[in-house]
């Protein structure tokens, strides 16, 4: 019995040691962006996000992440394409995705369409979650580059361990919605570069 216990202890120590020295699991990029003039546009046709400025928070996060990671060296400011879209919407003459990209002289458009964005699912329990679909378009040739096997790629994001009081105070709500917008932006950007995904138990705490 003592031998068995000792053996088990040794095995556990060896397993922990192997866990520590083993590399983190890695998620490969689902699509490799070409290094050409690229712009991000976040669309909220369903009006799931309030306030509307959160679209810019998401677009800025994606843009900045791709620049910092040196995935694309020339990113057009999302403000440019939002301005074009708003101007055409005012005249009830919305542009197609390809035309939007061309209007800001982009070769590639990362088109993000929001599906859901909320801090609670029942009005009481804190459960911040967001989802969107993503498409990458060749603006010059008006064709979809990613994904090829389906119309769009689904992306989700959530924030863990949120206390109930954070969906009661207006200040906390504002902070939490900003954080959720950053999270979904981060998740979209990670489609385009290899990254560590962490191991069980390492993502329990909020960033």
């Amino acid at each position: 019995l003592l031998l068995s216990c000792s053996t088990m202890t040794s095995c556990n120590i060896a397993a922990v040691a192997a866990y520590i020295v083993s590399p983190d699991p890695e998620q490969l990029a689902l699509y490799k962006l070409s290094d050409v003039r690229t712009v991000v546009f976040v669309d909220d046709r369903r009006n799931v996000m309030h306030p509307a400025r959160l679209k810019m928070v998401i677009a800025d996060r994606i843009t900045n992440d791709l620049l910092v990671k040196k995935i694309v060296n020339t990113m057009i400011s999302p403000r440019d394409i939002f301005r074009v879209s708003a101007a055409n919407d005012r005249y009830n003459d919305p542009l197609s995705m390809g035309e939007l990209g061309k209007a800001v002289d982009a070769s590639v458009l990362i088109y993000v369409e929001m599906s859901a964005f909320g801090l609670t699912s029942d009005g009481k329990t804190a459960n911040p979650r967001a989802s969107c679909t993503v498409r990458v378009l060749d603006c010059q040739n008006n064709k979809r580059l990613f994904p090829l096997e389906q119309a769009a790629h689904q992306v989700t994001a959530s924030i863990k361990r949120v206390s109930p009081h954070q969906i009661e105070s207006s200040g906390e709500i504002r902070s939490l919605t900003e954080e959720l917008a950053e999270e979904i932006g981060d998740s979209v950007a990670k489609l385009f570069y290899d990254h560590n995904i962490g191991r069980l138990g390492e993502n329990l705490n909020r960033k």
Side-chain angles (χ1 to χ4, degrees), residues 124-136:
K124 299 179 295 182
T125 309
N127 185 28
R129 291 183 177 276
S131 64
C132 64
T133 57
V134 180
R135 281 171 273 183
V136 179

Side-chain angles (χ1 to χ4, degrees), residues 10-202:
S10 298
C11 289
N12 288 337
I13 292 173
V16 171
Y19 178 86
I20 292 172
V21 301
S22 64
D24 287 337
E26 188 175 50
Q27 171 66 57
L28 299 179
L30 295 187
Y31 179 75
K32 293 286 189 180
L33 291 165
S34 298
D35 191 9
V36 296
R37 289 175 59 86
T38 301
V39 68
V40 178
F41 182 68
V42 178
D43 205 353
D44 185 22
R45 296 182 182 183
R46 303 180 187 182
N47 294 317
V48 299
M49 285 194 307
H50 305 284
R53 65 178 176 77
L54 292 173
K55 294 188 295 183
M56 189 62 70
V57 174
I58 296 170
D60 280 341
R61 177 58 186 264
I62 299 167
T63 299
N64 292 335
D65 280 6
L66 295 178
L67 284 171
V68 168
K69 296 289 183 180
K70 301 188 187 307
I71 306 302
V72 178
N73 290 308
T74 306
M75 295 290 300
I76 299 166
S77 170
R79 283 162 180 75
D80 293 348
I81 196 168
F82 275 94
R83 196 176 298 119
V84 170
S85 175
N88 281 274
D89 285 348
R90 275 198 299 272
Y91 293 106
N92 199 28
D93 185 26
L95 297 176
S96 69
M97 291 180 283
E99 289 170 330
L100 270 176
K102 284 182 181 179
V104 294
D105 197 25
S107 296
V108 167
L109 167 68
I110 299 173
Y111 181 80
V112 179
E113 185 172 357
M114 298 306 303
S115 310
F117 190 96
L119 302 184
T120 174
S121 53
D122 59 8
K124 299 179 295 182
T125 309
N127 185 28
R129 291 183 177 276
S131 64
C132 64
T133 57
V134 180
R135 281 171 273 183
V136 179
L137 303 164
D138 178 341
C139 303
Q140 306 307 314
N141 298 304
N142 199 31
K143 68 176 184 178
R144 187 171 71 242
L145 301 173
F146 170 83
L148 296 177
E149 68 283 354
Q150 57 194 27
H153 182 80
Q154 181 83 21
V155 175
T156 61
S158 62
I159 302 175
K160 307 295 183 186
R161 295 196 171 190
V162 179
S163 60
H165 82 275
Q166 287 184 275
I167 59 169
E168 297 171 357
S169 155
S170 60
E172 290 285 3
I173 289 173
R174 184 166 56 251
S175 175
L176 207 51
T177 54
E178 292 264 355
E179 185 177 351
L180 185 58
E182 292 276 355
E183 285 290 333
I184 193 72
D186 174 67
S187 296
V188 171
K190 283 177 176 172
L191 295 176
F192 308 115
Y193 61 86
D194 303 346
H195 58 279
N196 292 335
I197 55 176
R199 289 175 280 192
L200 184 63
E202 292 181 353

